[in-house]
Amino acid sequence: MGWPWMTSSLFAAEERASLGRVDSLLSCPAKELPRPGSVGVSYGFSVLNLVNAIMGSGILGLAYVMAHTGILGFSFMLLIVALLASFSVHLLLSMCTQTAVTSYEDLGLFAFGLPGKVVVAGTIIIQNVGAMSSYLLIIETELPTAISEFLPGDYSGSWYLDGKTLLIIICVVIVFPLALLPKIGFLGYTSSLSFFFMVFFALVIVIKKWSIPCPLTLNCMEQYFQISNATDDCKPKLFHFSKESVYTLPTMVFLFLCHTSILPIYCELQSPSKKRMQNVTNTAIALSFLIYLISALFGYLTFYDKVASDVLQDYGKYLPHDAVVRTVRLCFLCAVILTVPLIHFPARKALMMMFFSNFSFSWIHHFLITLALNIIIVLCAIYVPDIRNVFGVIGSSTSTCLTFVFPGLFYLKLSREDFLSWKKLGAFVLLILGGLVGNFSLAVIVFNWINNK
């Protein structure tokens, strides 16, 4: 198999050298990374960075998902996916301990040689570029509306209400400088702010539960219209299944995707060890799980079966002049903006390992790749039509590979444990589950397209 950026002879030579390095390292005894007591990123900042990598715009649709699965059905499935995500991280960290490397790409190299490294790096790049482009699309479409809600008159046509202009300004002033930082640990402060915004979002949903009565009444030109029936629509369902329920599992799988950021955060962790990084992961996933569950539960208990796929739209509809709702919308968009630089790091690292792995760190390479990534995601957000559907297809495959398929497959390949050991059986389950979820997600998206057409 040839690659467009190298000749076949160079490929063969590098692959032989890579496999030689793999064999020599695999012969070494497994041990923890030898940096105890090193100065690095604190435990708290590492947790906040990982929470920021986990949480994104998917939180807006969780109340809608709960409406179509029921409270207990949703809670059970969310817990299972969180535990599986934590287990897959455990496998990644175990492989790093065995092989003495701390990059996802090098795990692919150890497992399947240079093709494995290229596949993992390419998957990371595609998934992260898709995620960043989707986040920027949210900024482009939603930020002008959020700003206009604070303005007293009609300022339509102004440059500060133009989505493309705002997007470019934000990328130049905020995203690019933050993404240019040399270490992911430097984003601990912005991750703290993003986490505060997410907590604020969840608290507002809890508080506003008592500001919107059920049956729901819609205020239209000072006239109130009842749009739901108290007997039928104001009772929470513990379990519920409908045709919309098929979207639940694919949605939940993407909620805890943080695996591309795990190893960069691990490299910079203060006194790094497998156990310490696993504790960071478990804490971050637990915090994310708690915020997800609270937001979904109280959003559902506010609007019940009438909840929209974007819960903030409901609050804008039933509380159109509420200053707190307007503020939380703006804060949520700020949290999304601060997530984009964090996703830059694994994408840039993957590009560096593909093209500049034999070079020492260079600020020129660092600057040019960061700039190129920024330009690509801005152009995708602005000019690619229907980008959510495009990256929905890509995301359904790349996300499940990074979360389930690769950790399971690499562990089965690299571990010398007996196949009947609980870790290898768990890795096999992850591999099968990842394949099923990825194919199912793709089928659901294609089915959606056909129905929409």
Side-chain angles (χ1 to χ4, degrees):
M1 180 178 180
W3 302 98
W5 58 85
M6 61 181 73
T7 64
S8 58
S9 59
L10 178 61
F11 175 85
E14 184 168 351
E15 182 173 20
R16 286 195 297 271
S18 299
L19 290 176
R21 291 193 297 271
V22 170
D23 291 338
S24 64
L25 281 171
L26 283 177
S27 64
C28 297
K31 57 184 178 180
E32 297 289 344
L33 294 177
R35 296 185 300 174
S38 62
V39 177
V41 182
S42 68
Y43 182 92
F45 271 1
S46 298
V47 169
L48 291 172
N49 276 333
L50 194 53
V51 169
N52 195 17
I54 293 173
M55 303 192 71
S57 58
I59 194 173
L60 297 177
L62 292 186
Y64 179 82
V65 173
M66 181 176 281
H68 293 281
T69 52
I71 295 175
L72 293 183
F74 175 92
S75 303
F76 176 75
M77 293 183 68
L78 188 69
L79 178 61
I80 292 298
V81 173
L83 292 175
L84 287 174
S86 179
F87 177 67
S88 66
V89 171
H90 174 73
L91 294 184
L92 284 178
L93 296 175
S94 296
M95 287 184 284
C96 286
T97 301
Q98 294 174 19
T99 58
V101 300
T102 54
S103 76
Y104 212 148
E105 297 86 350
D106 279 338
L107 287 177
L109 176 68
F110 270 49
F112 297 102
L114 190 58
K117 177 180 178 179
V118 172
V119 168
V120 173
T123 303
I124 290 173
I125 293 167
I126 292 171
Q127 198 280 330
N128 288 353
V129 167
M132 289 188 289
S133 301
S134 300
Y135 285 169
L136 292 186
L137 179 64
I138 293 172
I139 301 303
E140 180 192 356
T141 55
E142 299 293 336
L143 188 57
T145 303
I147 293 175
S148 65
E149 290 178 345
F150 288 94
L151 302 177
D154 183 11
Y155 292 87
S156 55
S158 303
W159 66 268
Y160 47 82
L161 293 181
D162 179 70
K164 293 182 175 63
T165 303
L166 288 175
L167 178 60
I168 294 172
I169 292 174
I170 285 170
C171 285
V172 171
V173 176
I174 299 176
V175 175
F176 181 69
L178 290 176
L180 202 57
L181 294 172
K183 293 185 177 181
I184 198 169
F186 293 155
L187 294 178
Y189 295 101
T190 58
S191 294
S192 303
L193 188 59
S194 179
F195 178 70
F196 168 77
F197 288 151
M198 286 296 184
V199 171
F200 178 55
F201 171 83
L203 288 176
V204 169
I205 288 182
V206 173
I207 293 169
K208 292 301 176 182
K209 162 71 178 77
W210 287 272
S211 299
I212 300 176
C214 194
L216 298 172
T217 55
L218 188 61
N219 183 354
C220 184
M221 298 184 68
E222 304 306 324
Q223 295 185 15
Y224 292 86
F225 299 91
Q226 183 172 314
I227 62 172
S228 68
N229 182 281
T231 304
D232 298 330
D233 294 339
C234 296
K235 293 181 179 179
K237 298 180 177 70
L238 298 182
F239 293 97
H240 180 65
F241 297 97
S242 68
K243 64 178 183 179
E244 300 293 331
S245 301
V246 297
Y247 299 97
T248 301
L249 188 58
T251 300
M252 288 188 175
V253 168
F254 303 146
L255 290 177
F256 293 99
L257 175 62
C258 59
H259 296 58
T260 58
S261 300
I262 287 289
L263 299 182
I265 292 174
Y266 182 24
C267 290
E268 299 179 19
L269 179 63
Q270 192 176 67
S271 302
S273 67
K274 173 187 167 185
K275 181 179 179 181
R276 186 171 170 83
M277 187 60 208
Q278 187 67 57
N279 289 337
V280 167
T281 302
N282 293 343
T283 304
I285 289 179
L287 287 173
S288 301
F289 173 85
L290 187 61
I291 295 175
Y292 282 153
L293 186 60
I294 291 174
S295 302
L297 178 62
F298 284 88
Y300 170 60
L301 292 178
T302 303
F303 304 105
Y304 296 94
D305 290 341
K306 303 296 182 183
V307 66
S309 57
D310 178 351
V311 72
L312 283 179
Q313 292 180 0
D314 285 325
Y315 289 103
K317 183 192 300 182
Y318 296 105
L319 298 172
H321 306 296
D322 192 287
V324 175
V325 171
R326 293 177 177 178
T327 303
V328 79
R329 180 188 295 274
L330 194 60
C331 288
F332 183 84
L333 292 174
C334 290
V336 171
I337 292 171
L338 295 176
T339 302
V340 176
L342 196 68
I343 306 176
H344 254 278
F345 278 78
R348 181 178 58 221
K349 182 179 179 182
L351 282 169
M352 295 284 282
M353 294 193 71
M354 285 182 68
F355 298 107
F356 305 106
S357 59
N358 295 325
F359 295 87
S360 59
F361 177 81
S362 166
W363 273 106
I364 295 176
H365 295 159
H366 182 87
F367 180 87
L368 291 178
I369 289 180
T370 305
L371 180 62
L373 277 173
N374 262 283
I375 293 173
I376 290 170
I377 62 177
V378 170
L379 292 178
C380 285
I382 293 176
Y383 293 110
V384 175
D386 210 7
I387 193 173
R388 286 177 179 168
N389 284 333
V390 172
F391 285 114
V393 173
I394 297 173
S396 65
S397 53
T398 58
S399 298
T400 50
C401 283
L402 293 168
T403 308
F404 295 141
V405 176
F406 289 165
L409 182 62
F410 293 170
Y411 196 83
L412 290 173
K413 175 74 173 178
L414 295 176
S415 176
R416 296 176 179 176
E417 298 175 10
D418 186 79
F419 183 79
L420 295 179
S421 66
W422 73 271
K423 280 189 180 180
K424 273 210 168 179
L425 288 176
F428 181 72
V429 170
L430 279 183
L431 177 61
I432 299 301
L433 181 63
L436 292 175
V437 171
N439 290 323
F440 179 73
S441 302
L442 185 60
V444 166
I445 292 170
V446 172
F447 180 75
N448 240 358
W449 283 358
I450 295 174
N451 276 356
N452 289 339
K453 290 180 180 179

